[in-house]
Amino acid sequence: MKLPELFEEKMRRLLGEDFSEYEKHLDDPAYYGIRVNTLKISVEDFLKICPFHVTKVPWTDNGFYVDREEKPSKHPYYHAGLYYIQEPSAMTPASYLPVEPGDRVLDLCGAPGGKSTELGAKLKGEGLLVSNDVSISRTKALIRNIEMFGIRNDMILCTEAKYLVPSMTGFFNKILIDAPCSGEGMFRKGNNEIKNWQQKGSEPYAKLQREIVDDAIKLLAPGGMLLYSTCTFSPEENEQVIEYLLEKNEDLSLVPMKMCEGFDHGHPEWTLTGREDIKQCIRLWPHKIKGEGHFLALLKKADGEQPTFKYEKIKKVKLTPETEEFFKNCKMDIDWSHVREHQGKLFYLKEDIPEMKKVRVLRKGLYLGEMKKGRFEPSQSFAVALAANEYEPYLSFDINDENTVKYLKCETLDVDTNTEGIHLVGTNEFPLGWAKIKKGRLKNKYSSSWRWL
């Protein structure tokens, strides 16, 4: 492929004698991957049922290379949320942030959800995941991916970080910033990425990245950890952003990370001060690994006094009789004191959250469904967040049954059951959605926006 002249000159300076190897790589086929959703299935059990030929991605426990020709998006297991389709090197940020169940985690630049879904899986339903993006159009994909993964303890926002600071200073134990960048690692995607680089270059992104990390550090709790990443090669957006943070914040320090074959360290010679600790950053070059490339830096804030917060008060929800009747069949443990109602819609988030102002909140927890006149309509997100044994009756189609795909295409089906009413529908033990059955006829309730096309 033809590189922009200025970009080629820059890469020649950065890579030296390795440039020819990098240039040659640009004509190689791209790598594709899937990442197993460990919230729903273990890696070992997934490999037993995996319908694709896969090989291990070395820098993450649940990532695998897969051939694009196998079309992993065209399989019922994808619709059941058993895996996320992700470029292999993009798996590193969420993998390298040491999230533990019970943490308060912020994915500050979260759309379309690749990192958020992995962070949510690592929480195992305990603690809080706040997924944010400043673009309302991009949050549509973020919401869908969070819902498809079955994450129950997530709040989704659309705001700038500065608006979180007044109410959430020091709130988060872990923060991930996969920052907006000049995208030099994405040139193989097409001409749009190259045109964007030619029009903007690195400078406006470097300025924006400094603004983002300044606010993010305020949101990080004492003793907390922040992972900064980009998919670009520019030192101005990578080493120099980390240098800026360290010079400005004496309570921050870099944390060493696991090196894998082909990984490169950060380069002090590309900073303004030559800080040696910059070597603890990681660079993934596309000609050294099987991936498009990434930059990572893991920082820790010094221990200190933990702040206190004014938490949001939740109004008690009055359930309709139809809603109460529906939930008699639900075995999921729900603390109704933490269920919120908005215009008849019910959302469940068992973690307390601070009061927030001037913040656009798109979701506060798991969307359970809507109380309507004479009935309760359970949501698509609620269906895929459930385990098969958490709702009765459960109607299961075998993975090879043609009815599985027909259901995902929102078709009406004839089924062999005497049980009527609302059913949770799945393939084997993995829920997919809802249906209403009457006299052996299945009225499909699968979300039309998720429909198999």
Side-chain angles (χ1 to χ4, degrees), residues 284-303:
L284 283 69
W285 296 104
H287 57 288
K288 297 291 187 182
I289 56 124
K290 293 181 178 180
E292 297 300 304
H294 235 78
F295 174 87
L296 309 171
L298 183 60
L299 300 116
K300 188 177 191 301
K301 183 182 276 191
D303 292 334

Side-chain angles (χ1 to χ4, degrees), residues 284-336:
L284 283 69
W285 296 104
H287 57 288
K288 297 291 187 182
I289 56 124
K290 293 181 178 180
E292 297 300 304
H294 235 78
F295 174 87
L296 309 171
L298 183 60
L299 300 116
K300 188 177 191 301
K301 183 182 276 191
D303 292 334
E305 184 178 352
Q306 299 293 325
T308 57
F309 303 94
K310 184 178 181 181
Y311 290 103
E312 177 187 74
K313 293 180 181 179
I314 306 172
K315 295 181 180 179
K316 185 177 180 180
V317 176
K318 181 174 176 57
L319 301 180
T320 63
E322 295 82 11
T323 303
E324 291 182 341
E325 188 65 27
F326 171 85
F327 279 98
K328 287 180 181 179
N329 294 328
C330 181
K331 307 300 187 294
M332 176 180 163
D333 186 18
I334 297 175
D335 179 355
W336 287 97

Side-chain angles (χ1 to χ4, degrees), residues 274-410:
R275 297 182 61 117
E276 282 298 309
D277 55 353
I278 290 294
K279 287 184 177 179
Q280 295 181 62
C281 302
I282 288 178
R283 275 185 173 269
L284 283 69
W285 296 104
H287 57 288
K288 297 291 187 182
I289 56 124
K290 293 181 178 180
E292 297 300 304
H294 235 78
F295 174 87
L296 309 171
L298 183 60
L299 300 116
K300 188 177 191 301
K301 183 182 276 191
D303 292 334
E305 184 178 352
Q306 299 293 325
T308 57
F309 303 94
K310 184 178 181 181
Y311 290 103
E312 177 187 74
K313 293 180 181 179
I314 306 172
K315 295 181 180 179
K316 185 177 180 180
V317 176
K318 181 174 176 57
L319 301 180
T320 63
E322 295 82 11
T323 303
E324 291 182 341
E325 188 65 27
F326 171 85
F327 279 98
K328 287 180 181 179
N329 294 328
C330 181
K331 307 300 187 294
M332 176 180 163
D333 186 18
I334 297 175
D335 179 355
W336 287 97
S337 69
H338 277 72
V339 173
R340 297 164 173 84
E341 185 262 336
H342 178 68
Q343 296 179 349
K345 295 181 178 180
L346 302 181
F347 299 87
Y348 177 48
L349 182 62
K350 68 178 180 180
E351 298 296 323
D352 293 324
I353 55 176
E355 291 183 347
M356 293 180 290
K357 297 179 180 179
K358 296 182 179 181
V359 175
R360 190 173 191 177
V361 180
L362 305 180
R363 287 281 192 280
K364 284 184 182 178
L366 174 63
Y367 175 36
L368 299 177
E370 185 174 1
M371 296 187 292
K372 294 187 175 183
K373 187 177 180 179
R375 69 186 193 279
F376 176 74
E377 288 283 350
S379 73
Q380 178 67 44
S381 54
F382 185 32
V384 292
L386 291 168
N389 62 357
E390 288 184 312
Y391 187 87
E392 293 179 357
Y394 178 68
L395 177 65
S396 175
F397 296 120
D398 185 78
I399 191 64
N400 297 311
D401 188 333
E402 62 179 9
N403 281 329
T404 301
V405 173
K406 286 182 177 181
Y407 174 78
L408 292 171
K409 290 183 176 181
C410 296

Side-chain angles (χ1 to χ4, degrees), residues 93 96-100 103-107 119 171-177 216-217 219-228 251-257 297-303 306:
Y96 272 66
L97 182 62
V99 169
E100 300 291 338
D103 279 342
R104 296 167 171 170
V105 183
L106 171 64
D107 186 0
L119 297 174
F171 183 74
F172 296 99
N173 310 105
K174 308 287 166 59
I175 297 178
L176 190 148
I177 304 172
I217 290 303
L219 298 169
L220 187 64
M225 302 180 80
L226 180 149
L227 192 137
Y228 174 87
D251 59 346
L252 286 181
S253 58
L254 279 163
V255 178
M257 293 176 283
L298 183 60
L299 300 116
K300 188 177 191 301
K301 183 182 276 191
D303 292 334
Q306 299 293 325

